[in-house]
């Protein structure tokens, strides 16, 4: 069945239908990763978005049970040059097309995704619609331009109730703004006793859990739309070691007086080079974000820039000048992508150990 992707600037791409047959509207973005499509599709940070994959072949190793980053994908749709119908991998349980149909995710294949990527890089992200090819483009554009994109993204992906992931090590409270399973895997590997709590959890309840450390997760949308959590972050960072990732990094910056701005087309891929300013070391990172911290605003805050992206110079790491709290913009759990960033979790563990030693000395 033929299908078309229509962008709000009037550009039309015609291709073949994959996945669900329903119409879908979302913000059209692109990801440059050569692999990891299953993690990308199931990443809660992609809520409300139509993901275009710039790599030309997607689905060649199928879908397996191990690589999901959430139980139910919330992505609006996918765009690919070629979707592989017959994957080859010993872990594969089903094809990409079968998975998309199962989860009712619409998609379109057979279009020039490199042209689409160049267009987004030139004009920035924009709304788009995947619809039936026979609909008049003029009518589709009226409907598309009148549609407002969701503004309550975190509420849609954050868990409604707390849940534990038991361990025998450090007690870590994970505040869920759009949690990826990879973060839990990294904490579990380090023996942590984890309690995941919803984004709206009152600070009193977090304090009552008496954590050894607190982690602010990744998530979708504009951090300023949930700026009310900044007061909670200000209280938490005064009492416990804190690590913030992705959207959590932006909220940490907001809570400490920094400003946030929307990027032209964002950073989404699995091999973005990042420089550590103290050591000069370069690490390759997985990234998925459309907002960034305004660099000029950091100099007026109590934060210090620790890492920068080599491509464009955007802020990739922050640390508090007097408190045991730090953040990274990238995805250190490496799902998908380079494992260079996993050292962030070791640094978080060290902060918690140092805090415990200080408390024992003052006891």
């Amino acid at each position: 069945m033929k299908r078309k992707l229509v962008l709000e600037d009037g550009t039309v791409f015609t291709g073949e239908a994959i996945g669900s047959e329903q119409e879908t509207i979302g913000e059209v973005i692109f990801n440059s990763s050569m692999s990891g499509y299953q993690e990308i599709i199931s990443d809660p940070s992609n809520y409300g978005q139509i993901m275009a994959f710039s790599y030309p072949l997607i689905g060649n190793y199928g879908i397996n049970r191990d690589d999901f980053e959430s139980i139910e994908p919330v992505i609006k749709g996918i765009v690919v040059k070629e979707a592989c119908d017959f994957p080859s991998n010993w872990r594969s349980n089903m094809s990409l097309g079968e998975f998309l149909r199962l989860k009712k995710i619409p998609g379109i294949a057979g279009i020039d995704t490199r042209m689409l990527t160049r267009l987004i890089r030139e004009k920035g992200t924009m709304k788009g619609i995947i619809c039936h090819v026979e609909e008049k483009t003029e009518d589709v554009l009226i409907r598309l331009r009148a549609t407002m994109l969701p503004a309550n993204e975190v509420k849609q992906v954050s868990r409604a109730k707390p849940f534990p992931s038991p361990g025998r090590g450090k007690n870590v409270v994970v505040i869920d703004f759009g949690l990826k399973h990879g973060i839990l895997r990294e904490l579990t590997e380090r023996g942590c006793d984890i309690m995941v709590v919803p984004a709206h959890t009152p600070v009193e309840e977090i304090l009552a859990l008496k954590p050894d450390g607190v982690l602010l997760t990744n998530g979708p949308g504009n951090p300023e739309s949930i700026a009310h959590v900044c007061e909670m972050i200000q209280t938490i960072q005064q009492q416990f070691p804190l690590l913030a990732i992705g959207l959590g990094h932006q909220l940490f910056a907001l809570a400490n007086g920094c400003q946030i701005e929307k990027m032209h087309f964002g950073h989404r891929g699995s091999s973005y080079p990042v420089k550590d300013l103290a050591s000069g070391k370069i690490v390759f990172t997985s990234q998925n974000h459309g907002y960034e911290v305004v660099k000029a605003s950091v100099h007026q805050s109590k934060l210090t820039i620790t890492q920068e992206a080599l491509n464009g110079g955007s802020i990739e790491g922050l640390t508090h000048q007097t408190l045991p709290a730090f953040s990274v913009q990238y995805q250190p759990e490496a799902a998908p992508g380079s494992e260079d960033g996993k050292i962030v979790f070791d640094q978080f563990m060290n902060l918690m150990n140092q805090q415990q030693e200080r408390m024992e000395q003052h006891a």
Side-chain angles (χ1 to χ4, degrees):
M1 185 178 73
K2 289 292 183 180
R3 184 175 283 174
K4 63 183 177 182
L5 167 67
V6 181
L7 303 181
E8 62 180 314
D9 71 343
T11 305
V12 179
F13 296 87
T14 302
E16 301 173 356
I18 56 173
S20 168
E21 297 182 1
Q22 67 191 38
E23 176 180 293
T24 189
I25 294 176
E27 182 183 42
V28 182
I29 57 177
F30 70 88
N31 192 297
S32 59
S33 299
M34 296 176 65
S35 62
Y37 52 82
Q38 182 174 336
E39 294 95 320
I40 294 166
I41 292 171
S42 60
D43 185 345
S45 295
N46 293 323
Y47 176 82
Q49 297 175 322
I50 296 173
M51 180 65 72
F53 291 90
S54 61
Y55 190 71
L57 177 62
I58 300 297
N60 54 314
Y61 55 86
I63 300 291
N64 64 73
R65 69 173 190 175
D66 300 323
D67 291 341
F68 289 107
E69 290 302 314
S70 63
I71 296 174
E72 290 296 332
V74 291
I75 199 167
K76 282 289 188 177
I78 72 165
V79 181
V80 300
K81 175 67 172 69
E82 180 182 352
C84 179
D85 293 325
F86 302 100
S88 177
N89 187 281
W90 65 274
R91 294 195 304 161
S92 178
N93 301 123
M94 66 181 76
S95 71
L96 174 63
E98 291 171 332
F99 173 72
L100 295 176
R101 288 190 291 273
L102 177 66
K103 296 300 181 180
K104 297 180 173 55
I105 301 172
I108 182 171
I111 75 166
D112 188 343
T113 51
R114 293 192 177 187
M115 177 183 172
L116 175 59
T117 299
R118 290 176 64 117
L119 184 64
I120 296 173
R121 287 181 62 91
E122 176 186 341
K123 295 188 175 183
T125 56
M126 63 186 90
K127 287 189 294 185
I129 181 172
I130 298 175
C131 60
H132 198 276
V133 72
E134 294 182 357
E135 282 200 79
K136 290 185 178 179
T137 300
E138 295 79 6
D139 296 337
V140 171
L141 280 171
I142 292 172
R143 188 163 71 252
L144 172 62
R145 290 166 179 166
T147 301
M148 297 293 292
L149 295 177
N152 58 345
E153 297 98 325
V154 169
K155 183 178 180 181
Q156 300 300 321
V157 299
S158 180
R159 284 155 178 79
K161 296 181 179 180
F163 77 91
S165 180
R168 297 188 180 276
K170 296 297 183 186
N171 176 14
V172 177
V173 170
V174 175
I175 302 178
D176 176 18
F177 298 109
L179 172 68
K180 293 176 68 177
H181 291 173
I183 292 175
L184 297 183
R185 285 193 289 268
E186 292 304 315
L187 293 175
T188 299
E189 281 189 13
R190 290 158 177 81
C192 294
D193 184 18
I194 306 163
M195 176 62 74
V196 179
V197 300
H200 57 77
T201 304
V203 67
E204 295 79 12
E205 293 185 17
I206 298 172
L207 297 177
L209 293 170
K210 301 198 178 300
D212 295 309
V214 175
L215 190 150
L216 311 178
T217 76
N218 58 286
N222 185 347
E224 293 181 338
S225 67
I226 55 167
H228 60 274
V229 304
C230 288
E231 187 174 345
M232 175 269 291
I233 295 171
Q234 290 164 358
T235 301
I236 292 299
Q237 69 182 13
Q238 292 284 342
Q239 302 196 41
F240 311 109
L242 183 142
L243 166 61
I245 295 171
L247 178 65
H249 157 85
Q250 297 161 12
L251 291 168
F252 173 61
L254 271 180
N256 286 281
C258 300
Q259 297 174 351
I260 306 296
E261 63 182 359
K262 186 174 175 62
M263 304 174 74
H264 187 55
F265 53 81
H267 287 171
R268 297 177 178 91
S270 56
S271 58
Y272 278 84
V274 167
K275 181 178 181 179
D276 183 273
L277 299 183
S279 67
K281 182 179 179 180
I282 307 299
V283 295
F284 285 89
T285 66
S286 174
Q287 302 201 11
N288 184 18
H289 62 102
Y291 291 83
E292 65 180 346
V293 179
V294 177
K295 186 173 293 186
S297 69
V298 178
H299 304 308
Q300 302 166 1
S301 72
K302 294 184 178 180
L303 302 180
T304 299
I305 301 171
T306 57
Q307 295 176 301
E308 290 183 352
L310 288 186
N311 299 336
S314 60
I315 295 173
E316 295 294 334
L318 292 166
T319 188
H320 199 283
Q321 293 172 5
T322 59
L323 301 173
F326 74 109
S327 66
V328 291
Q329 176 63 82
Y330 52 87
Q331 302 175 64
E333 76 285 346
S338 165
E339 298 192 352
D340 290 359
K342 287 187 176 182
I343 191 174
V344 167
F345 295 99
D346 296 326
Q347 294 167 347
F348 182 44
M349 297 297 295
N350 289 336
L351 272 189
M352 290 189 287
N353 289 330
Q354 292 167 10
Q355 181 79 341
Q356 183 179 6
E357 291 174 2
R358 284 193 293 267
M359 293 177 64
E360 290 173 351
Q361 289 173 0
H362 288 90

